[in-house]
Amino acid sequence: MKKLLDHIFFLRPMLILPIWTIMILGVRAADVREMASPFSISDISALIPEILLAMLLTGLLSGATYIYNQIHDIESDRQNGKLFFLSENVISLNTAYVLVTVLNAASVIGAFLINMTMGFLFLVVAVLGIFYSHPRTNYKGRAGKALWSNMFGCGMLPFLIGWSLYEGAINMEAVLKSLPYLLAVGAIYLNTTLPDREGDKQVGKETYGVVWSVKHTQGSALLRLVLAILFSLMAGDYAVLIAAALASILFIRAYSTRRISDSVMATQAAILLLIIMACIYFPPYLIIAAGGILGTRAYYKWRFDFAYPRLK
């Protein structure tokens, strides 16, 4: 039982939640279209099987990406004091490589069986995940490439996956409506580079948290969030508009105080607000999200006597 739970939580379900959230909001954008009420609810009976299947495949794909990242991030995880499975020898390196291969293959093949567009999008995410962490390409260690990889891989592409699940294909409308999510994820990612800046600096990673000052990083994050608000207004997507507008209060506070802890809180609030908007549209997601958060917290407390996730 312990080994089974170790392998399940090795997939990093807390990091998969934001991906699922944006995918669901991509379905919402294709379903309810412009200027619809932020409290619009999906046709539950029609969408439950498709969304749950897409969530399963997206979870496998994201899990493979996060595992591959951990494989090539062992030393920086140690420097940053993160309790990750490889850096603590909970999971063997050979097992990690097998999981990456199997999960990537299963998710991409499954996506192609749903429709060709989704299969292609899954393939792009899988390749981007390899480029992000492989030592030869090392996107994660190069500030600009790390930022844009996260903006596309965790923002635009999950949105387009959700859109293609509903429509069967993507078009220019889908791309334009994905821009608020692209920008919002950019804002969130920049904030996440700040707590790790010292450890990343020691292992030679050049994230924007390392190459920029705290003020510059927080300011750039805030600017991207403001642009996300403007683009969401233009797209008529009230779900991301409300989430980004409310989160901007904490982003402004972080920029004013220069405290990294305030940036962490702003990031958590932005993700939580997006999850709430996804739950409003697809109520079953509330059970999944709550179960993931509470289950992860219980697991880490039982397995490592460690409080994760936490607000501080």
Side-chain angles (χ1 to χ4, degrees):
M1 184 64 176
K2 182 171 72 172
K3 278 191 171 294
L4 175 61
L5 289 174
D6 286 345
H7 283 78
I8 291 174
F9 285 94
F10 187 36
L11 301 182
R12 307 294 306 284
M14 286 305 300
L15 295 183
I16 296 174
L17 276 178
I19 306 297
W20 281 341
T21 298
I22 293 178
M23 186 202 77
I24 291 171
L25 292 175
V27 176
R28 179 191 180 279
D31 180 15
V32 302
R33 300 299 166 122
E34 292 87 357
M35 313 307 286
S37 167
F39 305 108
S40 299
I41 299 176
S42 67
D43 182 348
I44 301 299
S45 60
L47 288 179
I48 282 181
E50 290 83 358
I51 291 181
L52 291 182
L53 176 58
M55 288 177 67
L56 172 62
L57 295 175
T58 306
L60 297 180
L61 179 66
S62 301
T65 299
Y66 294 137
I67 291 172
Y68 194 68
N69 183 43
Q70 289 180 68
I71 290 172
H72 296 287
D73 241 5
I74 295 175
E75 188 53 39
S76 65
D77 288 344
R78 287 198 183 105
Q79 295 289 341
N80 289 317
K82 291 184 175 179
L83 185 63
F84 284 170
F85 292 86
L86 294 177
S87 59
E88 297 292 328
N89 299 313
V90 175
I91 302 290
S92 72
L93 202 56
N94 287 338
T95 298
Y97 276 113
V98 170
L99 284 171
V100 169
T101 303
V102 171
L103 295 177
N104 268 331
S107 60
V108 171
I109 292 171
F112 271 111
L113 292 176
I114 295 177
N115 64 62
M116 292 298 292
T117 301
M118 185 175 292
F120 175 74
L121 292 170
F122 267 61
L123 187 59
V124 171
V125 174
V127 172
L128 183 60
I130 300 298
F131 281 16
Y132 186 75
S133 298
H134 194 281
R136 288 192 178 181
T137 45
N138 193 29
Y139 285 5
K140 67 179 181 182
R142 300 171 184 175
K145 290 182 177 180
L147 172 61
W148 284 100
S149 295
N150 277 275
M151 290 172 69
F152 280 103
C154 301
M156 176 178 279
L157 291 174
F159 178 91
L160 294 178
I161 287 171
W163 183 286
S164 69
L165 177 66
Y166 188 88
E167 288 286 350
I170 57 175
N171 51 25
M172 185 55 66
E173 179 188 4
V175 173
L176 292 174
K177 289 188 174 181
S178 72
L179 294 180
Y181 297 88
L182 177 90
L183 291 161
V185 168
I188 290 170
Y189 168 74
L190 284 173
N191 274 354
T192 65
T193 65
L194 291 173
D196 294 341
R197 64 199 307 261
E198 294 304 321
D200 288 345
K201 189 183 301 182
Q202 291 180 31
V203 298
K205 285 177 68 175
E206 295 183 350
T207 66
Y208 279 124
V210 172
V211 300
W212 284 348
S213 66
V214 172
K215 175 184 177 181
H216 193 165
T217 305
Q218 291 172 327
S220 185
L222 176 59
L223 175 61
R224 280 171 171 78
L225 194 65
V226 170
L227 290 173
I229 293 171
L230 293 176
F231 275 99
S232 62
L233 187 59
M234 293 168 59
D237 189 337
Y238 285 155
V240 67
L241 173 63
I242 290 173
L246 292 175
S248 67
I249 298 171
L250 293 178
F251 274 75
I252 293 170
R253 178 188 175 192
Y255 182 67
S256 301
T257 63
R258 306 284 189 270
R259 289 198 297 261
I260 293 177
S261 60
D262 287 342
S263 289
V264 172
M265 185 173 292
T267 298
Q268 293 171 334
I271 294 172
L272 180 59
L273 287 165
L274 286 171
I275 289 175
I276 290 171
M277 300 312 297
C279 289
I280 291 173
Y281 171 71
F282 187 62
Y285 186 46
L286 176 61
I287 299 173
I288 297 171
I293 294 170
L294 296 176
T296 299
R297 188 169 178 85
Y299 167 79
Y300 272 86
K301 185 65 178 176
W302 164 71
R303 189 72 171 86
F304 306 111
D305 193 26
F306 182 74
Y308 173 80
R310 54 186 176 182
L311 293 177
K312 294 184 179 180

